[in-house]
Amino acid sequence: MRKILSTIITLLFTTVSAIAADTSVAGLYPVANSGRIIYNFNQGWRFMLGDKTGAETLDFDDKNWNVVSVPHTLRLEPAEASGGRNYQGIAWYRKHFTVPADMKGKNITLHFEAIMGKQEIYVNGKLACSHLGGYQPITVDLSKEGIKPGDKCVIAVKTDNSDDKTFPPGKKQSALDFCYHGGIYRDVWLIGKSPVAITDAIEANKVAGGGVFLHYDNITDKSAQVFVNVEVGNTSAKTARPTVIATIKDKDGKTVGTMKKSLSIAAGKDATAMLGTTIKRPHLWSPESPYLYNVEISVVNNGKNTDGGMVRMGIRKAEFRGKDGFWLNGKPYHQLIGGNRHQDFAYVGNALPNSQQWRDAKRLRDAGMIIIRAAHYPQDPSFMDACDELGLFVIVPTPGWQYWNKDPRFGELVHKNTREIIRRDRNHPSVLLWEPILNETRYPEDFALKALQITRDEFPYPGRPGAAADMHSAGVKENYDVLYGWVDDIGKEGTPDDKCIFTREFGEMVDDWYAHNNINRASRSWGERPQLMQALSLCDTNGEMHHAQRQFIGGCQWHPFDHQRGYHPDPYWGGIYDAFRQKKYAFEMFRSQQRDTEPMVFIANEMTQWSPDDVTVFSNCDSVRLTMFEGDKVMTLPVVHDDNDKPCAPVVFKDFWNFWKARDYSYKQRNWQRVSLIAEGIKDGKVVVTEKKMPSRRSTKIRLYADKMGKDLVADGSDFIVIVAEITDDNGNVKRLAKENILFTVEGEGRIIGDASIFANPRAVEWGSAPVLIQSTGKPGKITVTARAAFGGVHAPAADTITIESVPATLPACYTDKPSVNIQTQSQRRQGDNQPAVSAEEIKRTLEEVNKQQMDFGVQ
């Protein structure tokens, strides 16, 4: 027996410890030689927009269809395509492939992370799966369809993102504050599992069961109890007696705990290994220190690894103590300030690769946000993984917005979504709250109470995430853990004092919900003054989130990224980033509110002829010294810190910039070099950070940079990166008022997403820059991007070239057809225009309903 156990442990440490991928697949990070086989199934899909009779059949002729990679959107749209301009309707995907030989002896499944709308999935012409809903995983068991290694196979997927009131969210897009961008817009994986293997938490369909379930108890700085539940299924024809081993490793790879348990599982049955250990002096997870352990799990049967994977573990204790506020790891925690997040990006809609999901989380964390409300549906698994890694709490909602269908089946589908969300995301330390109701919706009390009970049934252990909902909805304020409201609600009659209050959406200052004119929304293209107005407005409302009243625990800005909307012709321009993730002044304002982080100073003034005379500086230092004209004018002002308002108020230097004085130096004295602003951040009497700005002179150059943010472009055929072209003068100062059109070309292992039909290439310069999206091929290598003025001339800005290199993918790919070279063509753009006829009366009635809902739920 000792020899057998020794062999098992040896297998575990020699084969399981090598992590094979940096992205999770169906809830587990792949591990080398674990017995589980995973292929990236994203490449090689043939695609057609619209319906086609017989497209599901095995011998259908699809040779003229474009070949695309997923994540994929049904149709590329302009960066500003709100108001129902995106395609809604049926589209088809077909994929030809040969099942890899190493799948021999495995149960073979396809795992779709999400497909928008309603779907039908066919295997070799046979309907294998129908599904409703656009935000949850779909698993297709190919083995049950008779598929074996070496078989040539065709998968056909019919997608439909048109309005459908029978399943959540249910609301028609023309009355919706976001868009049903369609398609297979998240990853697809081909998975081979041995007959004795870890089950899938969603497919198991068990309350608080299936798959892997991490939970904790008795958490202190000195020790923490860690529990790992692992359900193992046996699809073989005889009883199996596997051993489940879970090894916990710290960041340095040192083993801090090992657990194992032997099971006896009859044919066709499953059993759960309930493992537990105590970790001494644990590193506790927090936004400031998002420490993750690796829990490597192996199922060993007959001396062989038959299945396994890794789960990242963050140990933390979160408590909502009513009047005493929010406590983390046994200590009072400061206000939770963050933002909401839609899965929306310029051109591609919701079809973001994993790298951009990670970058979005990093951008939010860089802005100082520590909590994200996933609006209004569960986010991509890779976004959740990134929040674990980067230190972002997440509120995870069930899909829904301002819509209730009285048909009982609708409510049951909402609850089904909630159960699946919890089963998918329960192991993430980032998950702080579930939002199991429908946002800004009048629903019956029994629905709210059942939704709450589901959160408790599905997570019955100590330390469970709480449940949050609007305090004015039926059944909520008496029962839910956290109430959505405002600080003004505290102390009012009817507001319970044993519940924490959180503002789900702050920052909106609209004139009314029809016009949507407001000071917190500013397109980056509008320039300096609108961006400054937006930043100052958001600073005021952000300040309202900081309060000495402990019962009020914070809030989320609506919304850090510009995005498309269904019910308004304008995009939502209230983001602190635009749709390409270029920063606005408001980003610097948010960043400045972090007092205990790296010192920063930012001059919100471009020194143009139109710039304000008052110079606003954002800083988290003690004071700011501003110098103009190399010492002609110097002023030092304090940064006002108020724990009950703005942690770091903007510093405004009144009547500091003077264009005419600057003109004296540049025109009369021919000494333009003196025209500058220098801001110095001072802490503890010392200058700790400096920024210098000069007005741009004539446009002479194009400057390219890759917005990598520490993530390389992966050569998986799906990944993309933003390359930005800036117009500068000879000294590198960005010409914010430049008007150019930039033409991009690419050579090597990359391709441009979009063309002139969506104004992507050439791309107009806005506020000094023009972005382009570059997608990788399936082959790693160099990618050279050149940007030049679309209309050249003697004095046109000089072209620039940048070379980046894509890196190999960590998981193998399975596909037959190579993606088309052109991502977008003019004919594709014209195809599928299907704007429905909507009367003016119907539009007016719809917007009146939206306005009423917004006012009812206190959106300010």
Side-chain angles (χ1 to χ4, degrees), residues 412-722:
E412 287 305 312
L413 285 173
V414 176
H415 294 324
K416 180 176 182 289
N417 278 338
T418 300
R419 290 189 186 278
E420 292 183 352
I421 290 164
I422 296 173
R423 292 165 186 173
R424 193 197 76 165
D425 291 342
R426 64 196 181 192
N427 291 330
H428 291 286
S430 57
V431 174
L432 185 65
L433 291 164
W434 309 113
E435 186 181 305
I437 48 77
L438 303 165
N439 183 62
E440 295 174 15
T441 302
R442 292 295 179 198
Y443 41 75
E445 183 176 11
D446 62 342
F447 168 82
L449 296 180
K450 184 173 181 179
L452 175 62
Q453 190 59 46
I454 286 171
T455 68
R456 294 173 177 174
D457 292 343
E458 290 287 348
F459 203 120
Y461 303 109
R464 66 175 180 83
D470 191 280
M471 67 181 298
H472 302 295
S473 297
V476 170
K477 66 181 178 182
E478 302 87 356
N479 300 289
Y480 274 60
D481 302 290
V482 172
L483 309 181
Y484 289 151
W486 299 83
V487 69
D488 294 343
D489 290 317
I490 296 174
K492 285 185 178 178
E493 184 178 354
T495 300
D497 59 11
D498 62 340
K499 303 292 176 66
C500 292
I501 307 296
F502 184 86
T503 298
R504 70 185 188 280
E505 298 169 15
F506 74 79
E508 289 293 277
M509 295 294 179
V510 299
D511 58 347
D512 62 62
W513 293 102
Y514 177 86
H516 279 254
N517 297 313
N518 48 2
I519 59 175
N520 66 287
R521 299 186 188 180
S523 169
R524 186 174 173 276
S525 66
W526 296 346
E528 181 176 16
R529 286 178 183 262
Q531 286 191 60
L532 180 58
M533 178 74 79
Q534 178 201 34
L536 295 175
S537 166
L538 289 175
C539 189
D540 287 341
T541 51
N542 186 2
E544 295 172 9
M545 299 299 104
H546 298 271
H547 207 277
Q549 170 54 261
R550 290 285 302 162
Q551 188 176 354
F552 182 75
I553 62 172
C556 285
Q557 181 236 343
W558 185 267
H559 175 284
F561 302 120
D562 290 358
H563 64 87
Q564 313 294 1
R565 299 183 288 166
Y567 79 133
H568 201 279
D570 296 334
Y572 178 79
W573 279 316
I576 64 176
Y577 296 88
D578 71 6
F580 295 95
R581 291 6 183 202
Q582 296 180 103
K583 298 170 184 173
K584 304 181 192 178
Y585 282 177
F587 164 82
E588 304 293 349
M589 181 281 296
F590 266 94
R591 190 163 71 100
S592 71
Q593 300 308 299
Q594 306 172 79
R595 289 185 62 179
D596 299 324
T597 58
E598 182 180 356
M600 63 81 63
V601 65
F602 176 80
I603 304 169
N605 192 294
E606 302 302 320
M607 305 177 69
T608 74
Q609 61 271 38
W610 314 115
S611 295
D613 294 342
D614 296 345
V615 177
T616 300
V617 177
F618 298 116
S619 179
N620 59 0
C621 297
D622 297 336
S623 60
V624 175
R625 179 165 60 225
L626 192 63
T627 302
M628 189 163 67
F629 306 138
E630 296 187 349
D632 280 12
K633 194 170 186 179
V634 181
M635 185 182 295
T636 301
L637 293 176
V639 179
V640 176
H641 303 303
D642 188 341
D643 291 337
N644 296 325
D645 188 9
K646 304 173 186 68
C648 302
V651 184
V652 181
F653 294 84
K654 291 286 187 180
D655 296 320
F656 207 84
W657 164 246
N658 188 310
F659 171 75
W660 299 108
K661 182 67 174 177
R663 182 178 180 275
D664 286 344
Y665 282 112
S666 59
Y667 180 69
K668 294 181 179 179
Q669 300 181 29
R670 298 292 189 266
N671 192 9
W672 58 267
Q673 293 91 341
R674 289 191 62 131
V675 182
S676 64
L677 280 172
I678 299 174
E680 297 169 295
I682 300 170
K683 257 191 158 180
D684 299 324
K686 297 179 181 179
V687 175
V688 292
V689 63
T690 301
E691 184 188 43
K692 180 179 180 179
K693 273 194 174 179
M694 298 181 70
S696 177
R697 308 187 80 217
R698 70 188 294 162
S699 304
T700 59
K701 298 178 180 180
I702 298 172
R703 179 175 62 205
L704 289 171
Y705 72 87
D707 193 16
K708 295 175 67 174
M709 298 190 70
K711 283 283 183 184
D712 287 322
L713 183 68
V714 178
D716 60 4
S718 302
D719 199 11
F720 71 73
I721 195 168
V722 180

Side-chain angles (χ1 to χ4, degrees), residues 42-309:
N42 285 343
Q43 294 192 63
W45 289 90
R46 293 189 172 272
F47 171 73
M48 193 198 79
L49 195 66
D51 200 3
K52 192 71 174 180
T53 302
E56 77 280 5
T57 60
L58 179 62
D59 57 355
F60 180 82
D61 184 5
D62 57 15
K63 64 177 180 295
N64 293 324
W65 290 14
N66 279 345
V67 180
V68 301
S69 292
V70 301
H72 180 259
T73 190
L74 296 182
R75 192 178 67 179
L76 298 179
E77 308 291 349
E80 295 167 350
S82 283
R85 305 175 207 221
N86 61 295
Y87 176 83
Q88 281 190 272
I90 293 171
W92 281 91
Y93 295 84
R94 288 171 56 88
K95 177 158 177 170
H96 302 256
F97 72 104
T98 300
V99 181
D102 60 358
M103 290 287 187
K104 184 178 180 180
K106 305 292 185 183
N107 294 321
I108 308 168
T109 60
L110 272 181
H111 183 86
F112 296 84
E113 288 184 347
I115 308 171
M116 183 53 67
K118 48 184 178 287
Q119 311 89 34
E120 296 174 0
I121 302 173
Y122 298 83
V123 178
N124 288 342
K126 179 183 176 183
L127 179 64
C129 176
S130 295
H131 185 265
L132 294 175
Y135 304 99
Q136 285 296 88
I138 308 164
T139 298
V140 179
D141 192 329
L142 298 184
S143 294
K144 286 186 178 179
E145 303 300 325
I147 303 302
K148 302 181 297 298
D151 287 353
K152 291 186 177 180
C153 189
V154 176
I155 306 296
V157 181
K158 180 182 180 181
T159 73
D160 186 355
N161 69 328
S162 55
D163 298 338
D164 193 322
K165 65 182 181 181
T166 64
F167 63 91
K171 193 162 192 174
K172 57 187 177 182
Q173 184 181 273
S174 61
L176 197 67
D177 196 32
F178 53 99
C179 291
Y180 297 130
H181 293 293
I184 306 177
Y185 72 95
R186 290 181 182 167
D187 291 320
V188 187
W189 308 98
L190 182 68
I191 302 174
K193 296 198 298 185
S194 301
V196 180
I198 301 167
T199 62
D200 180 272
I202 294 178
E203 292 302 303
N205 195 27
K206 294 180 180 178
V207 175
V212 177
F213 198 157
L214 304 181
H215 54 103
Y216 319 92
D217 202 359
N218 297 318
I219 298 172
T220 68
D221 292 335
K222 295 180 179 180
S223 67
Q225 290 179 288
V226 174
F227 302 94
V228 184
N229 302 350
V230 183
E231 184 182 85
V232 179
N234 176 17
T235 61
S236 73
K238 60 182 181 180
T239 297
R241 293 180 173 81
T243 298
V244 179
I245 307 171
T247 303
I248 303 173
K249 295 184 178 180
D250 64 16
K251 279 190 173 182
D252 298 323
K254 180 183 176 182
T255 298
V256 297
T258 300
M259 303 160 279
K260 58 180 178 288
K261 185 172 183 178
S262 296
L263 300 172
S264 179
I265 313 173
K269 301 296 182 178
D270 53 63
T272 300
M274 312 287 280
L275 306 173
T277 190
T278 298
I279 295 181
K280 300 295 184 182
R281 294 182 296 279
H283 298 275
L284 300 184
W285 189 98
S286 70
E288 294 73 26
S289 179
Y291 194 96
L292 295 174
Y293 294 88
N294 289 346
V295 182
E296 299 175 10
I297 302 167
S298 183
V299 178
V300 180
N301 193 39
N302 295 326
K304 294 182 179 180
N305 288 327
T306 61
D307 195 29

Side-chain angles (χ1 to χ4, degrees), residues 793-846:
V794 175
H795 295 293
D800 192 22
T801 296
I802 188 173
T803 297
I804 60 175
E805 191 160 357
S806 60
V807 300
T810 54
L811 291 173
C814 179
Y815 64 98
T816 298
D817 298 316
K818 293 184 177 181
S820 307
V821 174
N822 295 322
I823 302 300
Q824 178 74 54
T825 65
Q826 295 275 359
S827 60
Q828 283 177 277
R829 272 294 305 154
R830 288 194 297 268
Q831 182 185 4
D833 282 324
N834 65 335
Q835 304 304 324
V838 181
S839 68
E841 291 77 11
E842 184 177 352
I843 291 174
K844 182 179 179 181
R845 185 170 60 253
T846 294

